[in-house]
Amino acid sequence: MPEREVKVFDDLTALSRAAAEVVFELANRAAAERGLFSMVLAGGGTPRKLYEILASDPFAVKMPWKDVHLFWGDERFVPPESPESNYGMVNRAMLEQVPIPAENVHPVRTTQFNTASEAAADYGTEVEKFYSANDNDSESKRWNFPRLDLVLLGVGADGHTASLFPGGDELAETRKLAVAVRAPENYETTDRVSFSLPLINNAANVLFLAGGREKRQVLDAVLNDPNRAREKYPAAMVDPADGRLIWFLDREAAG
Ligand code: 6PG
C-alpha cells in the first residue's frame, strides 16, 4: 500500500514551514540522484506562505534551484499580470527572489492562444516534451504518463482540487496530460487549464495543503470516508497508485 500521511499543525505558518522542509528534502534527493526535480505548484491562497518561505533564508540559497523545474497544476486563463493568475502569485511570492533559471519555469501559456482548450493542449505538449527530453527513468513512463516528483495541491470547500471540480467531464479524462475546464460560475475566472487526474496520480509525491475552518467538512469526508468521497470530490480521486500522498492541515481545517 503506497504511503499515506496526515499531519496537523497549529497554524498556516507552522504548516508552511513543515511543507518547505518536505520540498527541500525531496528536491535535494532528486537533484543528487537525477539532477532534476519536477515540482508542480498549487494556486489559490494557501500555498503562498510556503512559496514565501522557499524564497527566504535558508531555502533561497540552499535549494538546488538549477535542477528544479516548476510547473503549475492549474492556471486561470488570464494574462500573467492579472491578479487572478497563479503564475503571477508565485512570481511575486517566490520567483522574483530565487536564482532559478528562466528555462526551468514552465507556466501555462495563457496569452499565446485564444482559448483555454488550445492552452491546455499546448501545456500537455510542453510537459510531454520536457519529460521526453529529461527523464529517462523507465518507471516514470508507467501508463504512458510522466512521473512528476512532487505535486502540490489545495482543496476547495466543495472538494475541488487544482481546477478539477465536482461533476466535471474532465474527471473522466484518461489520456490527456492537461485539460481545459469551465469552473462553476461562482469562481474567479471560469476558464481554466488543469493537470488531469491520471497525470497527478502518476506522481511520486502528492502534498495537499489545507487550512481554515471552511475546509473541515470536506476534509472529514475525504480523509475519513474516502471511498464515498471519491464518488463526489475530485480531491478524494487523487490517489497516486505508486506514490506518497501527504495531507498537511492546520488545526482549523482538521477540526
Ligand atoms: C486555484 C487553485 C485551487 C485552490 C483551491 C484552494 O487555482 O484556485 O489551484 O485548486 O488550491 O481553490 O484555494 P485556497 O488555498 O485559496 O483555499
mmCIF file with all atom_site columns, all heavy atoms in Angstrom, residues 172-198:
data_model
loop_
_atom_site.group_PDB
_atom_site.id
_atom_site.type_symbol
_atom_site.label_atom_id
_atom_site.label_alt_id
_atom_site.label_comp_id
_atom_site.label_asym_id
_atom_site.label_entity_id
_atom_site.label_seq_id
_atom_site.pdbx_PDB_ins_code
_atom_site.Cartn_x
_atom_site.Cartn_y
_atom_site.Cartn_z
_atom_site.occupancy
_atom_site.B_iso_or_equiv
_atom_site.pdbx_formal_charge
_atom_site.auth_seq_id
_atom_site.auth_comp_id
_atom_site.auth_asym_id
_atom_site.auth_atom_id
_atom_site.pdbx_PDB_model_num
ATOM 1   N N   . ALA A 1 172 ? -13.182 12.393 -16.084 1.00 0.00 ? 172 ALA A N   1
ATOM 2   C CA  . ALA A 1 172 ? -13.143 11.072 -16.746 1.00 0.00 ? 172 ALA A CA  1
ATOM 3   C C   . ALA A 1 172 ? -11.978 10.970 -17.739 1.00 0.00 ? 172 ALA A C   1
ATOM 4   O O   . ALA A 1 172 ? -11.780 9.950  -18.386 1.00 0.00 ? 172 ALA A O   1
ATOM 5   C CB  . ALA A 1 172 ? -14.451 10.838 -17.484 1.00 0.00 ? 172 ALA A CB  1
ATOM 6   N N   . GLU A 1 173 ? -11.170 12.050 -17.829 1.00 0.00 ? 173 GLU A N   1
ATOM 7   C CA  . GLU A 1 173 ? -10.049 12.059 -18.785 1.00 0.00 ? 173 GLU A CA  1
ATOM 8   C C   . GLU A 1 173 ? -9.044  10.949 -18.453 1.00 0.00 ? 173 GLU A C   1
ATOM 9   O O   . GLU A 1 173 ? -8.649  10.794 -17.304 1.00 0.00 ? 173 GLU A O   1
ATOM 10  C CB  . GLU A 1 173 ? -9.343  13.426 -18.764 1.00 0.00 ? 173 GLU A CB  1
ATOM 11  C CG  . GLU A 1 173 ? -8.166  13.536 -19.704 1.00 0.00 ? 173 GLU A CG  1
ATOM 12  C CD  . GLU A 1 173 ? -8.554  13.270 -21.162 1.00 0.00 ? 173 GLU A CD  1
ATOM 13  O OE1 . GLU A 1 173 ? -9.544  13.892 -21.602 1.00 0.00 ? 173 GLU A OE1 1
ATOM 14  O OE2 . GLU A 1 173 ? -7.904  12.432 -21.805 1.00 0.00 ? 173 GLU A OE2 1
ATOM 15  N N   . THR A 1 174 ? -8.656  10.192 -19.503 1.00 0.00 ? 174 THR A N   1
ATOM 16  C CA  . THR A 1 174 ? -7.706  9.101  -19.234 1.00 0.00 ? 174 THR A CA  1
ATOM 17  C C   . THR A 1 174 ? -6.414  9.244  -20.064 1.00 0.00 ? 174 THR A C   1
ATOM 18  O O   . THR A 1 174 ? -5.464  8.522  -19.836 1.00 0.00 ? 174 THR A O   1
ATOM 19  C CB  . THR A 1 174 ? -8.334  7.735  -19.626 1.00 0.00 ? 174 THR A CB  1
ATOM 20  O OG1 . THR A 1 174 ? -8.720  7.803  -21.009 1.00 0.00 ? 174 THR A OG1 1
ATOM 21  C CG2 . THR A 1 174 ? -9.537  7.425  -18.760 1.00 0.00 ? 174 THR A CG2 1
ATOM 22  N N   . ARG A 1 175 ? -6.424  10.175 -21.020 1.00 0.00 ? 175 ARG A N   1
ATOM 23  C CA  . ARG A 1 175 ? -5.258  10.254 -21.922 1.00 0.00 ? 175 ARG A CA  1
ATOM 24  C C   . ARG A 1 175 ? -4.490  11.568 -21.803 1.00 0.00 ? 175 ARG A C   1
ATOM 25  O O   . ARG A 1 175 ? -3.281  11.605 -21.719 1.00 0.00 ? 175 ARG A O   1
ATOM 26  C CB  . ARG A 1 175 ? -5.705  10.085 -23.384 1.00 0.00 ? 175 ARG A CB  1
ATOM 27  C CG  . ARG A 1 175 ? -6.116  8.705  -23.793 1.00 0.00 ? 175 ARG A CG  1
ATOM 28  C CD  . ARG A 1 175 ? -6.493  8.657  -25.277 1.00 0.00 ? 175 ARG A CD  1
ATOM 29  N NE  . ARG A 1 175 ? -7.440  9.715  -25.630 1.00 0.00 ? 175 ARG A NE  1
ATOM 30  C CZ  . ARG A 1 175 ? -7.106  10.850 -26.251 1.00 0.00 ? 175 ARG A CZ  1
ATOM 31  N NH1 . ARG A 1 175 ? -5.841  11.069 -26.570 1.00 0.00 ? 175 ARG A NH1 1
ATOM 32  N NH2 . ARG A 1 175 ? -8.021  11.773 -26.531 1.00 0.00 ? 175 ARG A NH2 1
ATOM 33  N N   . LYS A 1 176 ? -5.217  12.692 -21.793 1.00 0.00 ? 176 LYS A N   1
ATOM 34  C CA  . LYS A 1 176 ? -4.537  13.990 -21.859 1.00 0.00 ? 176 LYS A CA  1
ATOM 35  C C   . LYS A 1 176 ? -3.787  14.299 -20.557 1.00 0.00 ? 176 LYS A C   1
ATOM 36  O O   . LYS A 1 176 ? -4.234  13.893 -19.467 1.00 0.00 ? 176 LYS A O   1
ATOM 37  C CB  . LYS A 1 176 ? -5.569  15.103 -22.097 1.00 0.00 ? 176 LYS A CB  1
ATOM 38  C CG  . LYS A 1 176 ? -6.233  15.060 -23.455 1.00 0.00 ? 176 LYS A CG  1
ATOM 39  C CD  . LYS A 1 176 ? -7.293  16.148 -23.549 1.00 0.00 ? 176 LYS A CD  1
ATOM 40  C CE  . LYS A 1 176 ? -8.150  16.010 -24.811 1.00 0.00 ? 176 LYS A CE  1
ATOM 41  N NZ  . LYS A 1 176 ? -9.351  16.894 -24.736 1.00 0.00 ? 176 LYS A NZ  1
ATOM 42  N N   . LEU A 1 177 ? -2.694  15.058 -20.686 1.00 0.00 ? 177 LEU A N   1
ATOM 43  C CA  . LEU A 1 177 ? -1.944  15.490 -19.501 1.00 0.00 ? 177 LEU A CA  1
ATOM 44  C C   . LEU A 1 177 ? -2.582  16.733 -18.878 1.00 0.00 ? 177 LEU A C   1
ATOM 45  O O   . LEU A 1 177 ? -2.531  16.931 -17.671 1.00 0.00 ? 177 LEU A O   1
ATOM 46  C CB  . LEU A 1 177 ? -0.491  15.817 -19.886 1.00 0.00 ? 177 LEU A CB  1
ATOM 47  C CG  . LEU A 1 177 ? 0.336   14.709 -20.539 1.00 0.00 ? 177 LEU A CG  1
ATOM 48  C CD1 . LEU A 1 177 ? 1.778   15.154 -20.682 1.00 0.00 ? 177 LEU A CD1 1
ATOM 49  C CD2 . LEU A 1 177 ? 0.267   13.424 -19.744 1.00 0.00 ? 177 LEU A CD2 1
ATOM 50  N N   . ALA A 1 178 ? -3.163  17.580 -19.737 1.00 0.00 ? 178 ALA A N   1
ATOM 51  C CA  . ALA A 1 178 ? -3.785  18.823 -19.240 1.00 0.00 ? 178 ALA A CA  1
ATOM 52  C C   . ALA A 1 178 ? -5.120  19.005 -19.948 1.00 0.00 ? 178 ALA A C   1
ATOM 53  O O   . ALA A 1 178 ? -5.282  18.633 -21.113 1.00 0.00 ? 178 ALA A O   1
ATOM 54  C CB  . ALA A 1 178 ? -2.876  20.025 -19.511 1.00 0.00 ? 178 ALA A CB  1
ATOM 55  N N   . VAL A 1 179 ? -6.072  19.567 -19.205 1.00 0.00 ? 179 VAL A N   1
ATOM 56  C CA  . VAL A 1 179 ? -7.434  19.713 -19.735 1.00 0.00 ? 179 VAL A CA  1
ATOM 57  C C   . VAL A 1 179 ? -7.923  21.148 -19.545 1.00 0.00 ? 179 VAL A C   1
ATOM 58  O O   . VAL A 1 179 ? -7.478  21.850 -18.628 1.00 0.00 ? 179 VAL A O   1
ATOM 59  C CB  . VAL A 1 179 ? -8.406  18.748 -19.023 1.00 0.00 ? 179 VAL A CB  1
ATOM 60  C CG1 . VAL A 1 179 ? -8.130  17.303 -19.406 1.00 0.00 ? 179 VAL A CG1 1
ATOM 61  C CG2 . VAL A 1 179 ? -8.334  18.906 -17.510 1.00 0.00 ? 179 VAL A CG2 1
ATOM 62  N N   . ALA A 1 180 ? -8.824  21.567 -20.426 1.00 0.00 ? 180 ALA A N   1
ATOM 63  C CA  . ALA A 1 180 ? -9.476  22.873 -20.264 1.00 0.00 ? 180 ALA A CA  1
ATOM 64  C C   . ALA A 1 180 ? -10.729 22.656 -19.424 1.00 0.00 ? 180 ALA A C   1
ATOM 65  O O   . ALA A 1 180 ? -11.422 21.652 -19.590 1.00 0.00 ? 180 ALA A O   1
ATOM 66  C CB  . ALA A 1 180 ? -9.842  23.450 -21.622 1.00 0.00 ? 180 ALA A CB  1
ATOM 67  N N   . VAL A 1 181 ? -10.986 23.579 -18.518 1.00 0.00 ? 181 VAL A N   1
ATOM 68  C CA  . VAL A 1 181 ? -12.097 23.432 -17.579 1.00 0.00 ? 181 VAL A CA  1
ATOM 69  C C   . VAL A 1 181 ? -12.908 24.721 -17.542 1.00 0.00 ? 181 VAL A C   1
ATOM 70  O O   . VAL A 1 181 ? -12.354 25.817 -17.590 1.00 0.00 ? 181 VAL A O   1
ATOM 71  C CB  . VAL A 1 181 ? -11.564 23.142 -16.146 1.00 0.00 ? 181 VAL A CB  1
ATOM 72  C CG1 . VAL A 1 181 ? -12.712 23.081 -15.139 1.00 0.00 ? 181 VAL A CG1 1
ATOM 73  C CG2 . VAL A 1 181 ? -10.762 21.850 -16.132 1.00 0.00 ? 181 VAL A CG2 1
ATOM 74  N N   . ARG A 1 182 ? -14.226 24.572 -17.472 1.00 0.00 ? 182 ARG A N   1
ATOM 75  C CA  . ARG A 1 182 ? -15.079 25.727 -17.157 1.00 0.00 ? 182 ARG A CA  1
ATOM 76  C C   . ARG A 1 182 ? -15.426 25.608 -15.682 1.00 0.00 ? 182 ARG A C   1
ATOM 77  O O   . ARG A 1 182 ? -16.197 24.723 -15.289 1.00 0.00 ? 182 ARG A O   1
ATOM 78  C CB  . ARG A 1 182 ? -16.382 25.680 -17.977 1.00 0.00 ? 182 ARG A CB  1
ATOM 79  C CG  . ARG A 1 182 ? -16.227 26.061 -19.433 1.00 0.00 ? 182 ARG A CG  1
ATOM 80  C CD  . ARG A 1 182 ? -16.055 27.530 -19.676 1.00 0.00 ? 182 ARG A CD  1
ATOM 81  N NE  . ARG A 1 182 ? -17.244 28.337 -19.353 1.00 0.00 ? 182 ARG A NE  1
ATOM 82  C CZ  . ARG A 1 182 ? -17.259 29.676 -19.393 1.00 0.00 ? 182 ARG A CZ  1
ATOM 83  N NH1 . ARG A 1 182 ? -16.152 30.333 -19.675 1.00 0.00 ? 182 ARG A NH1 1
ATOM 84  N NH2 . ARG A 1 182 ? -18.351 30.348 -19.117 1.00 0.00 ? 182 ARG A NH2 1
ATOM 85  N N   . ALA A 1 183 ? -14.823 26.443 -14.831 1.00 0.00 ? 183 ALA A N   1
ATOM 86  C CA  . ALA A 1 183 ? -15.125 26.375 -13.393 1.00 0.00 ? 183 ALA A CA  1
ATOM 87  C C   . ALA A 1 183 ? -16.559 26.852 -13.170 1.00 0.00 ? 183 ALA A C   1
ATOM 88  O O   . ALA A 1 183 ? -17.120 27.581 -13.995 1.00 0.00 ? 183 ALA A O   1
ATOM 89  C CB  . ALA A 1 183 ? -14.145 27.269 -12.627 1.00 0.00 ? 183 ALA A CB  1
ATOM 90  N N   . PRO A 1 184 ? -17.175 26.466 -12.063 1.00 0.00 ? 184 PRO A N   1
ATOM 91  C CA  . PRO A 1 184 ? -18.524 26.951 -11.747 1.00 0.00 ? 184 PRO A CA  1
ATOM 92  C C   . PRO A 1 184 ? -18.555 28.473 -11.749 1.00 0.00 ? 184 PRO A C   1
ATOM 93  O O   . PRO A 1 184 ? -17.550 29.135 -11.426 1.00 0.00 ? 184 PRO A O   1
ATOM 94  C CB  . PRO A 1 184 ? -18.777 26.388 -10.338 1.00 0.00 ? 184 PRO A CB  1
ATOM 95  C CG  . PRO A 1 184 ? -17.881 25.188 -10.238 1.00 0.00 ? 184 PRO A CG  1
ATOM 96  C CD  . PRO A 1 184 ? -16.661 25.526 -11.047 1.00 0.00 ? 184 PRO A CD  1
ATOM 97  N N   . GLU A 1 185 ? -19.684 29.033 -12.119 1.00 0.00 ? 185 GLU A N   1
ATOM 98  C CA  . GLU A 1 185 ? -19.789 30.495 -12.316 1.00 0.00 ? 185 GLU A CA  1
ATOM 99  C C   . GLU A 1 185 ? -19.390 31.293 -11.073 1.00 0.00 ? 185 GLU A C   1
ATOM 100 O O   . GLU A 1 185 ? -18.933 32.416 -11.167 1.00 0.00 ? 185 GLU A O   1
ATOM 101 C CB  . GLU A 1 185 ? -21.226 30.852 -12.715 1.00 0.00 ? 185 GLU A CB  1
ATOM 102 C CG  . GLU A 1 185 ? -21.574 30.414 -14.138 1.00 0.00 ? 185 GLU A CG  1
ATOM 103 C CD  . GLU A 1 185 ? -20.563 30.916 -15.191 1.00 0.00 ? 185 GLU A CD  1
ATOM 104 O OE1 . GLU A 1 185 ? -20.150 32.086 -15.125 1.00 0.00 ? 185 GLU A OE1 1
ATOM 105 O OE2 . GLU A 1 185 ? -20.130 30.100 -16.046 1.00 0.00 ? 185 GLU A OE2 1
ATOM 106 N N   . ASN A 1 186 ? -19.527 30.690 -9.888  1.00 0.00 ? 186 ASN A N   1
ATOM 107 C CA  . ASN A 1 186 ? -19.215 31.485 -8.674  1.00 0.00 ? 186 ASN A CA  1
ATOM 108 C C   . ASN A 1 186 ? -17.729 31.564 -8.367  1.00 0.00 ? 186 ASN A C   1
ATOM 109 O O   . ASN A 1 186 ? -17.320 32.117 -7.356  1.00 0.00 ? 186 ASN A O   1
ATOM 110 C CB  . ASN A 1 186 ? -19.950 30.894 -7.460  1.00 0.00 ? 186 ASN A CB  1
ATOM 111 C CG  . ASN A 1 186 ? -19.598 29.416 -7.240  1.00 0.00 ? 186 ASN A CG  1
ATOM 112 O OD1 . ASN A 1 186 ? -19.621 28.641 -8.188  1.00 0.00 ? 186 ASN A OD1 1
ATOM 113 N ND2 . ASN A 1 186 ? -19.262 29.045 -6.005  1.00 0.00 ? 186 ASN A ND2 1
ATOM 114 N N   . TYR A 1 187 ? -16.917 30.983 -9.283  1.00 0.00 ? 187 TYR A N   1
ATOM 115 C CA  . TYR A 1 187 ? -15.467 31.025 -9.051  1.00 0.00 ? 187 TYR A CA  1
ATOM 116 C C   . TYR A 1 187 ? -14.823 32.120 -9.888  1.00 0.00 ? 187 TYR A C   1
ATOM 117 O O   . TYR A 1 187 ? -15.308 32.445 -10.967 1.00 0.00 ? 187 TYR A O   1
ATOM 118 C CB  . TYR A 1 187 ? -14.829 29.669 -9.402  1.00 0.00 ? 187 TYR A CB  1
ATOM 119 C CG  . TYR A 1 187 ? -14.954 28.686 -8.263  1.00 0.00 ? 187 TYR A CG  1
ATOM 120 C CD1 . TYR A 1 187 ? -16.082 27.882 -8.148  1.00 0.00 ? 187 TYR A CD1 1
ATOM 121 C CD2 . TYR A 1 187 ? -13.994 28.615 -7.255  1.00 0.00 ? 187 TYR A CD2 1
ATOM 122 C CE1 . TYR A 1 187 ? -16.224 27.009 -7.077  1.00 0.00 ? 187 TYR A CE1 1
ATOM 123 C CE2 . TYR A 1 187 ? -14.131 27.741 -6.192  1.00 0.00 ? 187 TYR A CE2 1
ATOM 124 C CZ  . TYR A 1 187 ? -15.250 26.949 -6.109  1.00 0.00 ? 187 TYR A CZ  1
ATOM 125 O OH  . TYR A 1 187 ? -15.398 26.096 -5.058  1.00 0.00 ? 187 TYR A OH  1
ATOM 126 N N   . GLU A 1 188 ? -13.678 32.631 -9.346  1.00 0.00 ? 188 GLU A N   1
ATOM 127 C CA  . GLU A 1 188 ? -12.887 33.577 -10.144 1.00 0.00 ? 188 GLU A CA  1
ATOM 128 C C   . GLU A 1 188 ? -12.555 32.905 -11.468 1.00 0.00 ? 188 GLU A C   1
ATOM 129 O O   . GLU A 1 188 ? -12.243 31.729 -11.508 1.00 0.00 ? 188 GLU A O   1
ATOM 130 C CB  . GLU A 1 188 ? -11.549 33.857 -9.423  1.00 0.00 ? 188 GLU A CB  1
ATOM 131 C CG  . GLU A 1 188 ? -11.615 34.732 -8.217  1.00 0.00 ? 188 GLU A CG  1
ATOM 132 C CD  . GLU A 1 188 ? -10.233 34.798 -7.541  1.00 0.00 ? 188 GLU A CD  1
ATOM 133 O OE1 . GLU A 1 188 ? -9.411  33.880 -7.720  1.00 0.00 ? 188 GLU A OE1 1
ATOM 134 O OE2 . GLU A 1 188 ? -9.998  35.777 -6.842  1.00 0.00 ? 188 GLU A OE2 1
ATOM 135 N N   . THR A 1 189 ? -12.565 33.677 -12.544 1.00 0.00 ? 189 THR A N   1
ATOM 136 C CA  . THR A 1 189 ? -12.086 33.181 -13.830 1.00 0.00 ? 189 THR A CA  1
ATOM 137 C C   . THR A 1 189 ? -12.590 31.772 -14.138 1.00 0.00 ? 189 THR A C   1
ATOM 138 O O   . THR A 1 189 ? -11.995 30.760 -13.730 1.00 0.00 ? 189 THR A O   1
ATOM 139 C CB  . THR A 1 189 ? -10.536 33.140 -13.866 1.00 0.00 ? 189 THR A CB  1
ATOM 140 O OG1 . THR A 1 189 ? -10.010 34.302 -13.268 1.00 0.00 ? 189 THR A OG1 1
ATOM 141 C CG2 . THR A 1 189 ? -10.070 33.011 -15.304 1.00 0.00 ? 189 THR A CG2 1
ATOM 142 N N   . THR A 1 190 ? -13.660 31.666 -14.808 1.00 0.00 ? 190 THR A N   1
ATOM 143 C CA  . THR A 1 190 ? -14.223 30.337 -15.064 1.00 0.00 ? 190 THR A CA  1
ATOM 144 C C   . THR A 1 190 ? -13.381 29.548 -16.073 1.00 0.00 ? 190 THR A C   1
ATOM 145 O O   . THR A 1 190 ? -13.321 28.327 -15.995 1.00 0.00 ? 190 THR A O   1
ATOM 146 C CB  . THR A 1 190 ? -15.668 30.483 -15.590 1.00 0.00 ? 190 THR A CB  1
ATOM 147 O OG1 . THR A 1 190 ? -15.664 31.447 -16.641 1.00 0.00 ? 190 THR A OG1 1
ATOM 148 C CG2 . THR A 1 190 ? -16.576 30.949 -14.469 1.00 0.00 ? 190 THR A CG2 1
ATOM 149 N N   . ASP A 1 191 ? -12.709 30.230 -17.008 1.00 0.00 ? 191 ASP A N   1
ATOM 150 C CA  . ASP A 1 191 ? -11.885 29.492 -17.978 1.00 0.00 ? 191 ASP A CA  1
ATOM 151 C C   . ASP A 1 191 ? -10.545 29.121 -17.341 1.00 0.00 ? 191 ASP A C   1
ATOM 152 O O   . ASP A 1 191 ? -9.784  30.001 -16.919 1.00 0.00 ? 191 ASP A O   1
ATOM 153 C CB  . ASP A 1 191 ? -11.637 30.356 -19.232 1.00 0.00 ? 191 ASP A CB  1
ATOM 154 C CG  . ASP A 1 191 ? -12.693 30.099 -20.295 1.00 0.00 ? 191 ASP A CG  1
ATOM 155 O OD1 . ASP A 1 191 ? -13.413 29.076 -20.180 1.00 0.00 ? 191 ASP A OD1 1
ATOM 156 O OD2 . ASP A 1 191 ? -12.814 30.907 -21.230 1.00 0.00 ? 191 ASP A OD2 1
ATOM 157 N N   . ARG A 1 192 ? -10.281 27.822 -17.264 1.00 0.00 ? 192 ARG A N   1
ATOM 158 C CA  . ARG A 1 192 ? -9.073  27.356 -16.585 1.00 0.00 ? 192 ARG A CA  1
ATOM 159 C C   . ARG A 1 192 ? -8.384  26.267 -17.389 1.00 0.00 ? 192 ARG A C   1
ATOM 160 O O   . ARG A 1 192 ? -8.988  25.643 -18.256 1.00 0.00 ? 192 ARG A O   1
ATOM 161 C CB  . ARG A 1 192 ? -9.432  26.769 -15.217 1.00 0.00 ? 192 ARG A CB  1
ATOM 162 C CG  . ARG A 1 192 ? -10.346 27.611 -14.334 1.00 0.00 ? 192 ARG A CG  1
ATOM 163 C CD  . ARG A 1 192 ? -9.595  28.122 -13.176 1.00 0.00 ? 192 ARG A CD  1
ATOM 164 N NE  . ARG A 1 192 ? -10.400 28.863 -12.196 1.00 0.00 ? 192 ARG A NE  1
ATOM 165 C CZ  . ARG A 1 192 ? -10.383 28.633 -10.901 1.00 0.00 ? 192 ARG A CZ  1
ATOM 166 N NH1 . ARG A 1 192 ? -9.690  27.623 -10.432 1.00 0.00 ? 192 ARG A NH1 1
ATOM 167 N NH2 . ARG A 1 192 ? -11.065 29.389 -10.069 1.00 0.00 ? 192 ARG A NH2 1
ATOM 168 N N   . VAL A 1 193 ? -7.113  26.026 -17.017 1.00 0.00 ? 193 VAL A N   1
ATOM 169 C CA  . VAL A 1 193 ? -6.353  24.866 -17.508 1.00 0.00 ? 193 VAL A CA  1
ATOM 170 C C   . VAL A 1 193 ? -5.929  24.087 -16.275 1.00 0.00 ? 193 VAL A C   1
ATOM 171 O O   . VAL A 1 193 ? -5.521  24.665 -15.276 1.00 0.00 ? 193 VAL A O   1
ATOM 172 C CB  . VAL A 1 193 ? -5.114  25.321 -18.306 1.00 0.00 ? 193 VAL A CB  1
ATOM 173 C CG1 . VAL A 1 193 ? -4.207  24.127 -18.649 1.00 0.00 ? 193 VAL A CG1 1
ATOM 174 C CG2 . VAL A 1 193 ? -5.531  26.042 -19.586 1.00 0.00 ? 193 VAL A CG2 1
ATOM 175 N N   . SER A 1 194 ? -6.066  22.754 -16.335 1.00 0.00 ? 194 SER A N   1
ATOM 176 C CA  . SER A 1 194 ? -5.702  21.944 -15.163 1.00 0.00 ? 194 SER A CA  1
ATOM 177 C C   . SER A 1 194 ? -4.959  20.691 -15.604 1.00 0.00 ? 194 SER A C   1
ATOM 178 O O   . SER A 1 194 ? -5.232  20.135 -16.673 1.00 0.00 ? 194 SER A O   1
ATOM 179 C CB  . SER A 1 194 ? -6.982  21.527 -14.408 1.00 0.00 ? 194 SER A CB  1
ATOM 180 O OG  . SER A 1 194 ? -6.641  20.750 -13.263 1.00 0.00 ? 194 SER A OG  1
ATOM 181 N N   . PHE A 1 195 ? -4.035  20.257 -14.772 1.00 0.00 ? 195 PHE A N   1
ATOM 182 C CA  . PHE A 1 195 ? -3.480  18.919 -14.979 1.00 0.00 ? 195 PHE A CA  1
ATOM 183 C C   . PHE A 1 195 ? -4.630  17.925 -14.811 1.00 0.00 ? 195 PHE A C   1
ATOM 184 O O   . PHE A 1 195 ? -5.568  18.145 -14.051 1.00 0.00 ? 195 PHE A O   1
ATOM 185 C CB  . PHE A 1 195 ? -2.382  18.630 -13.957 1.00 0.00 ? 195 PHE A CB  1
ATOM 186 C CG  . PHE A 1 195 ? -1.005  19.067 -14.383 1.00 0.00 ? 195 PHE A CG  1
ATOM 187 C CD1 . PHE A 1 195 ? -0.802  19.719 -15.598 1.00 0.00 ? 195 PHE A CD1 1
ATOM 188 C CD2 . PHE A 1 195 ? 0.088   18.828 -13.590 1.00 0.00 ? 195 PHE A CD2 1
ATOM 189 C CE1 . PHE A 1 195 ? 0.466   20.125 -15.996 1.00 0.00 ? 195 PHE A CE1 1
ATOM 190 C CE2 . PHE A 1 195 ? 1.367   19.228 -13.974 1.00 0.00 ? 195 PHE A CE2 1
ATOM 191 C CZ  . PHE A 1 195 ? 1.546   19.870 -15.182 1.00 0.00 ? 195 PHE A CZ  1
ATOM 192 N N   . SER A 1 196 ? -4.489  16.806 -15.525 1.00 0.00 ? 196 SER A N   1
ATOM 193 C CA  . SER A 1 196 ? -5.537  15.774 -15.457 1.00 0.00 ? 196 SER A CA  1
ATOM 194 C C   . SER A 1 196 ? -5.289  14.847 -14.266 1.00 0.00 ? 196 SER A C   1
ATOM 195 O O   . SER A 1 196 ? -4.152  14.765 -13.746 1.00 0.00 ? 196 SER A O   1
ATOM 196 C CB  . SER A 1 196 ? -5.529  14.956 -16.748 1.00 0.00 ? 196 SER A CB  1
ATOM 197 O OG  . SER A 1 196 ? -4.287  14.241 -16.861 1.00 0.00 ? 196 SER A OG  1
ATOM 198 N N   . LEU A 1 197 ? -6.335  14.136 -13.866 1.00 0.00 ? 197 LEU A N   1
ATOM 199 C CA  . LEU A 1 197 ? -6.183  13.206 -12.733 1.00 0.00 ? 197 LEU A CA  1
ATOM 200 C C   . LEU A 1 197 ? -5.131  12.130 -12.995 1.00 0.00 ? 197 LEU A C   1
ATOM 201 O O   . LEU A 1 197 ? -4.292  11.860 -12.117 1.00 0.00 ? 197 LEU A O   1
ATOM 202 C CB  . LEU A 1 197 ? -7.527  12.538 -12.417 1.00 0.00 ? 197 LEU A CB  1
ATOM 203 C CG  . LEU A 1 197 ? -8.434  13.277 -11.434 1.00 0.00 ? 197 LEU A CG  1
ATOM 204 C CD1 . LEU A 1 197 ? -9.784  12.576 -11.343 1.00 0.00 ? 197 LEU A CD1 1
ATOM 205 C CD2 . LEU A 1 197 ? -7.802  13.402 -10.046 1.00 0.00 ? 197 LEU A CD2 1
ATOM 206 N N   . PRO A 1 198 ? -5.104  11.507 -14.186 1.00 0.00 ? 198 PRO A N   1
ATOM 207 C CA  . PRO A 1 198 ? -4.080  10.468 -14.389 1.00 0.00 ? 198 PRO A CA  1
ATOM 208 C C   . PRO A 1 198 ? -2.656  11.000 -14.290 1.00 0.00 ? 198 PRO A C   1
ATOM 209 O O   . PRO A 1 198 ? -1.765  10.319 -13.783 1.00 0.00 ? 198 PRO A O   1
ATOM 210 C CB  . PRO A 1 198 ? -4.372  9.898  -15.775 1.00 0.00 ? 198 PRO A CB  1
ATOM 211 C CG  . PRO A 1 198 ? -5.375  10.781 -16.404 1.00 0.00 ? 198 PRO A CG  1
ATOM 212 C CD  . PRO A 1 198 ? -6.044  11.536 -15.331 1.00 0.00 ? 198 PRO A CD  1
#
